[in-house]
């Protein structure tokens, strides 16, 4: 007991000394903060960020990275109260678009990033999309031994049960493609037509809530086919789980980097984002997580063996289409209300 | 403080009142004030007026979801009471090690996260899950039964999580019941059923009321379990509030929904307290 308490006291003293030393620096040099707080979704994504972005950034600048969970509502609370816990954040891109519309984000300094190299639609004034994930068709290989659906129209006709996200976002797009709308003619969404399309499969569809759930029902064979994100089934498939997928007619979605409006360490946050968006960092990230780069300069740096798993590879990218985050920022509320009413 | 100065006599109840001051201040700052802000927000965000409430009570999905929420909470409460009462009746008579064992059996499941327990029920109920495998092996069904998503799964999952909140107040109450009263009733000619109905059951009402209030109100705010185990019909109010607050950043609407749920809860509580003679809730026993 005594040993423990003396140990903890020593650690505490050491910590205090380091804290004083670090806190002393900015006062003298009028330079960088001692740490940068980044809000992320956690999990494997954060592990990849830590390896690819955090470590090099800290080495380069001497600034320590601390992470926090990226609860959407917290961004609004922080900006309203002008009391900042985060210096920057990783957010779902559609939410970033929404937040930008509500004036919750700082404009980015595009002088530090090569806007011309970004995939169309991924560079925005207040946020930059950081990776390309795909919402696509997947199936259980034990339940579906042959004739897996090649596109959403076939997915709609597939026998047995299918899984879709219990949210209008992405599900509406998929419903329209199933009804024959071309992937480049989705927006603005024909909401009525999407509901008519969804009506046809409502009874035979399991509407899931979370990405983890979509993977579980696929792997356990609770459904024959399901929409899911490639990051959810990539590892299980390699690990031998009875699940397969393809990128045909997939809907590309993304995360985004953004800075809360009025956050105090904007300069450092912007430097971090520029580093994370640089070609080598984007390439290194995509090697760990099967989400493709949005900076096209990163693609040539990626191992050709990894590329087929990435939604934004030269081979896969033409098969799908990017979700229009601006549409959802403008119409999300209204469509969500209609969707909730429809699904009840 | 001025009371002292003015020379007023110190009394026991005044002393208790002062002890309460600190917790009350804490509640005022960290509970009442934020709650008030939520209520106000429903009327002023995005613009002053009743627009949010017109939406809640309008043509949208909101009333239906609120009704689903109350219905689900009510079913879960009744099921919990039906299961918990006999368990508590037996557990309350235990002494020593057996009592500890019973308490542990009730408490230990509470230490596992609700998310994990809900996923575990998914594994049990799914098409190729434990339950269907058993039913198929026993020959009770030829094809797997579809439990997911469904009412059975939601109710079982929620009852599993809420049971301790019914059992514990019941045990606390029943342990305080003087069982010699039952002997007295028997001496006066009551058969065991009559003694239970006329003596034990009325004495256990405060425990029932506390458990019912606790389970019902907590169930109204359930989020994860119905989301994972339930279908569209089991969309509960908390899901809509989260969507408005966290996905759509529509805090006015989220506040209006939360306030409606709160008022509804209070209304049900008051109604319940009336019909059970004002004994609802743990603190209302005296």
């Amino acid at each position: 007991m005594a040993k423990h308490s003396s140990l903890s006291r020593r650690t505490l003293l050491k910590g205090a000394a380091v804290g004083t030393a670090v806190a002393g620096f900015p006062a003298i040099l009028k330079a960088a903060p001692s740490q940068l707080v980044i809000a992320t979704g956690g999990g494997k994504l954060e592990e990849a960020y830590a390896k690819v972005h955090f470590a090099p950034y800290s080495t380069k600048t001497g600034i320590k990275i601390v992470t926090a969970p990226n609860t959407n509502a917290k961004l609004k609370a922080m900006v309203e109260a002008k009391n900042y816990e985060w210096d920057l954040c990783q957010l779902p891109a559609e939410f970033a678009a929404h937040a930008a519309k509500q004036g919750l984000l700082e404009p980015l300094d595009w002088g530090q990033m090569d806007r011309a190299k970004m995939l169309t639609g991924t560079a925005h004034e207040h946020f930059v999309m950081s990776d390309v994930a795909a919402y696509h068709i997947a199936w259980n290989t034990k339940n579906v031994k042959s004739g897996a659906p090649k596109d959403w129209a076939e997915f709609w006709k597939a026998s047995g049960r299918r899984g879709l996200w219990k949210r209008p976002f992405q599900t509406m797009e998929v419903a329209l493609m199933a009804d024959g709308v071309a992937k480049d003619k989705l927006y603005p969404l024909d909401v009525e037509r999407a509901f008519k399309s969804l009506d046809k499969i409502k009874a035979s569809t399991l509407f899931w809530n979370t990405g983890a759930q979509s993977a579980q029902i696929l792997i356990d064979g609770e459904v024959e086919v399901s929409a899911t994100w490639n990051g959810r089934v990539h590892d299980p498939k390699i690990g031998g789980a009875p699940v397969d997928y393809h990128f045909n007619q997939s809907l590309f979605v993304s995360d985004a980097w953004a800075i809360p409006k009025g956050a105090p360490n904007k300069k450092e946050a912007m430097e971090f984002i520029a580093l994370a968006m640089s070609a080598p960092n984007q390439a290194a990230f995509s090697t760990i997580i099967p989400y493709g780069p949005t900076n096209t300069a990163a693609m040539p740096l990626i191992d050709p063996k990894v590329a087929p798993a990435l939604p934004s590879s030269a081979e896969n990218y033409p098969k799908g289409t990017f979700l229009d985050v601006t549409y959802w920022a403008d119409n999300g509320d209204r469509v969500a209300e209609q969707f909730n009413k429809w699904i009840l | 403080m001025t009371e002292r100065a003015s020379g007023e006599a110190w009394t026991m109840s005044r002393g208790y009142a002062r002890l309460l001051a600190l917790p009350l201040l804490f509640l005022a700052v960290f509970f009442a004030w934020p709650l008030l802000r939520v209520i106000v927000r429903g009327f002023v965000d995005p613009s002053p007026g009743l627009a949010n409430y017109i939406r809640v009570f309008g043509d949208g999905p909101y009333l239906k979801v609120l009704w689903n929420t109350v219905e689900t909470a009510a079913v879960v409460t009744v099921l919990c009471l039906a299961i918990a009462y006999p368990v508590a009746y037996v557990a309350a008579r235990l002494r020593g090690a057996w009592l500890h064992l019973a308490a542990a059996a009730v408490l230990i499941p509470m230490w596992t996260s609700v998310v994990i327990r809900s996923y575990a029920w998914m594994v049990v109920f799914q098409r190729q899950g434990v339950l269907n495998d058993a039913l198929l092996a026993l020959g009770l069904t030829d094809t797997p039964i579809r439990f997911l998503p469904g009412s059975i799964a939601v109710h079982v999952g929620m009852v599993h999580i809420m049971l301790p909140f019914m059992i514990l107040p019941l045990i606390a109450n029943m342990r305080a019941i003087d069982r010699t009263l039952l002997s007295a009733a028997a001496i006066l000619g009551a058969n065991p059923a009559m003694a239970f109905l006329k003596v034990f059951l009325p004495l256990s009402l405060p425990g029932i009321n506390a458990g019912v209030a606790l389970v019902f109100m907590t169930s109204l705010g359930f989020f994860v379990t119905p989301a994972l185990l339930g279908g569209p019909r089991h969309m509960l109010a908390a899901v809509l509030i989260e969507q408005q607050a966290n996905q759509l950043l529509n805090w006015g609407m989220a506040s209006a929904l939360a306030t409606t749920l709160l008022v509804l809860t209070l209304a049900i509580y008051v109604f319940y307290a009336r019909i059970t003679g004002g004994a609802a809730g743990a603190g209302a026993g005296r």
Side-chain angles (χ1 to χ4, degrees):
Chain A
M1 202 61 209
K3 197 176 154 198
H4 278 261
S5 70
S6 85
L7 239 182
S8 77
R9 200 180 307 134
R10 203 179 304 147
T11 321
L12 203 72
L13 284 172
K14 214 165 91 188
V18 172
T20 321
V22 174
F25 263 115
I28 301 160
L29 300 172
K30 299 231 180 292
S34 61
Q35 64 173 38
L36 210 56
V37 181
I38 304 184
T40 83
K44 281 186 189 168
L45 217 53
E46 187 177 307
E47 282 170 31
Y49 291 153
K51 207 164 150 192
V52 176
H53 306 321
F54 299 174
Y57 180 82
S58 294
T59 314
K60 198 173 130 193
T61 60
I63 297 172
K64 204 176 120 201
I65 302 274
V66 179
T67 61
N70 64 351
T71 317
N72 292 342
K74 187 146 195 176
L75 172 71
K76 180 163 169 151
M78 280 190 314
V79 176
E80 270 195 8
K82 296 195 168 29
N83 185 359
Y84 300 92
E85 191 186 309
W86 316 339
D87 292 304
L88 72 145
C89 45
Q90 167 244 331
L91 301 164
E94 80 281 3
F95 178 75
H98 203 92
K101 204 184 157 206
Q102 289 207 358
L104 302 176
L105 301 177
E106 281 285 334
L108 298 181
D109 175 11
W110 277 98
Q112 295 187 44
M113 298 179 284
D114 192 349
R115 195 166 189 161
K117 290 269 166 49
M118 296 295 295
L119 285 175
T120 313
T122 58
H124 295 256
E125 193 190 346
H126 294 90
F127 60 97
V128 52
M129 296 196 198
S130 54
D131 51 46
V132 185
Y135 185 69
H136 59 51
I137 293 166
W139 60 93
N140 178 293
T141 53
K142 279 190 200 149
N143 291 352
V144 182
K145 293 212 164 60
S146 63
K150 288 194 261 315
D151 53 26
W152 292 109
E154 287 190 19
F155 180 94
W156 245 237
K157 289 185 198 111
S159 60
R161 292 178 84 190
R162 81 211 75 231
L164 283 171
W165 198 12
K166 204 193 276 180
R167 292 260 301 274
F169 178 68
Q170 303 178 40
T171 300
M172 299 294 274
E173 279 92 338
V174 157
L176 287 171
M177 284 193 265
D179 202 39
V181 177
K183 66 182 169 67
D184 52 351
K185 299 237 163 33
L186 289 171
Y187 301 99
L189 297 180
D190 184 341
V191 175
E192 290 310 311
R193 185 170 174 182
F195 284 130
K196 282 206 185 95
S197 174
L198 285 167
D199 278 337
K200 292 177 195 160
I201 53 143
K202 191 174 183 181
S204 60
T205 298
L206 193 165
F207 286 94
W208 44 263
N209 267 281
T210 67
Q213 194 186 0
S214 72
Q216 194 180 349
I217 58 173
L218 271 167
I219 292 162
D220 293 343
E222 182 69 17
V223 292
E224 269 63 39
V225 293
S226 181
T228 189
W229 294 279
N230 66 306
R232 293 287 176 183
V233 282
H234 174 263
D235 285 353
K237 185 188 166 184
I238 290 173
V243 61
D244 206 353
Y245 63 97
H246 62 59
F247 288 108
N248 193 32
Q249 279 196 334
S250 53
L251 192 65
F252 299 134
V253 293
S254 178
D255 280 315
W257 293 111
I259 303 172
K261 181 93 184 163
N265 301 312
K266 188 183 173 184
K267 181 172 162 284
E268 290 74 22
M270 194 57 232
E271 280 165 11
F272 175 88
I273 294 176
L275 177 77
M277 291 309 298
S278 70
N281 281 54
Q282 284 248 295
F285 174 82
S286 294
T287 309
I288 302 176
I289 302 271
Y291 295 154
T294 48
N295 179 351
T296 54
M299 216 57 227
L301 308 177
I302 290 171
D303 186 339
K305 271 183 246 145
V306 173
L310 303 180
S312 59
S313 72
E315 187 202 345
N316 294 330
Y317 197 59
K319 293 180 187 168
T321 191
F322 233 110
L323 177 121
D324 183 351
V325 291
T326 316
Y327 173 84
W328 283 102
D330 293 340
N331 301 285
D333 189 17
R334 180 179 58 86
V335 178
E337 184 171 282
Q338 286 173 281
F339 185 84
N340 288 338
K341 198 178 164 188
W342 173 83
I343 206 166
L344 277 176
Chain B
M1 268 170 261
T2 49
E3 287 169 30
R4 260 285 155 91
S6 67
E8 233 177 289
W10 187 90
T11 67
M12 200 65 159
S13 61
R14 215 168 274 149
Y16 282 141
R18 280 192 195 135
L19 274 178
L20 264 179
L22 205 61
L24 277 179
L25 186 71
F26 180 87
L27 279 179
V29 173
F30 293 103
F31 180 71
W33 174 240
L35 186 64
L36 187 71
R37 286 189 55 182
V38 166
I39 293 169
V40 169
R41 192 146 197 160
F43 292 100
V44 300
D45 184 354
S47 56
L50 291 172
N52 291 320
Y53 285 92
I54 290 170
R55 255 180 94 183
V56 170
F57 291 97
D59 191 31
Y62 307 104
L63 285 182
K64 181 90 194 297
V65 169
L66 282 169
W67 171 244
N68 284 351
T69 310
V70 172
E71 194 188 2
T72 306
V75 171
V76 168
T77 306
V78 169
L79 290 174
C80 273
L81 183 60
I83 298 169
Y85 201 91
V87 172
Y89 186 85
V90 172
R93 308 188 65 152
L94 299 174
R95 293 288 179 271
W98 287 108
L99 179 67
H100 291 303
L101 195 69
V106 175
L107 286 170
I108 284 172
M110 289 174 76
W111 298 339
T112 309
S113 124
V114 171
V115 179
I116 291 172
R117 281 191 278 168
S118 301
Y119 268 97
W121 282 114
M122 270 175 74
V123 174
V124 171
F125 278 119
Q126 65 197 7
R127 186 158 60 176
Q128 289 155 22
V130 181
L131 184 59
N132 264 317
D133 284 354
L135 291 175
L136 286 167
L138 291 170
L140 292 172
T141 174
D142 299 329
T143 51
I145 297 170
R146 186 197 285 190
F147 293 107
L148 283 177
S151 301
I152 294 177
V154 171
H155 291 147
V156 169
M158 283 178 71
V159 165
H160 175 221
I161 289 160
M162 291 315 301
L163 261 182
F165 297 95
M166 187 67 88
I167 294 178
L168 293 176
L170 281 175
I171 291 182
N173 164 263
M174 288 178 185
R175 279 177 64 79
I177 295 176
D178 187 351
R179 304 239 176 182
T180 54
L181 291 172
L182 292 176
S183 312
I187 290 165
L188 293 172
N191 62 29
M194 196 54 85
F196 174 80
L197 281 177
K198 295 270 182 185
V199 178
F200 193 86
L201 188 63
L203 285 171
S204 70
L205 264 182
I208 294 177
N209 290 338
V212 164
L214 210 54
V215 170
F216 183 73
M217 286 178 203
T218 312
S219 298
L220 285 175
F222 254 64
F223 184 80
V224 175
T225 311
L228 288 177
L229 300 173
R233 218 154 293 148
H234 306 97
M235 188 188 289
L236 301 194
V239 174
L240 281 191
I241 295 171
E242 193 272 348
Q243 258 182 22
Q244 290 292 342
N246 201 32
Q247 316 289 342
L248 301 164
L249 289 189
N250 221 334
W251 286 10
M253 191 62 189
S255 303
L257 281 168
T259 306
T260 310
L261 184 62
L262 178 69
V263 170
L264 192 68
T265 310
L266 288 175
I268 293 169
Y269 178 78
V270 167
F271 176 73
Y272 182 81
R274 277 274 171 84
I275 58 169
T276 56
R286 59 187 64 223

